[in-house]
Amino acid sequence: MVAMGEECMPIVETMLEDSRWFVVRNMLALVQRLPELPEEFSAASFMDHKDPRVRREAFPLAVRERNLR
């Protein structure tokens, strides 16, 4: 999925809505590996996730966004 770049984002966005914490965490880990964040992506909603493992994966993504630093 990482090799596909932004082309995979529709699939990733769908999977980010999954209720299972490990699916969300793994998708965030994949997004972290993209060289540039897609414009429509924001880590803000994941910074308040109920599971700390998801928040931990969202943090590096939030740092990459100017408005969340």
Side-chain angles (χ1 to χ4, degrees), residues 1 3 10-18 22 24-25 27 29 32 34 39 42 44-45 47 52 54 57 61 65 67:
M1 288 178 83
I11 296 167
V12 170
E13 288 172 350
T14 300
M15 296 181 82
L16 284 170
E17 296 173 6
D18 198 293
F22 55 91
V24 177
R25 181 203 59 195
M27 290 301 106
Q32 283 183 43
L34 294 174
E39 288 184 28
S42 177
S45 63
M47 293 300 295
V54 172
E57 288 298 327
L61 292 167
E65 294 181 50
N67 62 329

Side-chain angles (χ1 to χ4, degrees), residues 1-44:
M1 288 178 83
V2 172
M4 292 175 58
E6 284 192 43
E7 295 175 29
C8 70
M9 281 309 292
I11 296 167
V12 170
E13 288 172 350
T14 300
M15 296 181 82
L16 284 170
E17 296 173 6
D18 198 293
S19 61
R20 297 170 292 182
W21 67 266
F22 55 91
V23 174
V24 177
R25 181 203 59 195
N26 292 345
M27 290 301 106
L28 291 174
L30 287 173
V31 174
Q32 283 183 43
R33 296 178 65 189
L34 294 174
E36 292 187 30
L37 293 179
E39 288 184 28
E40 68 276 1
F41 178 81
S42 177

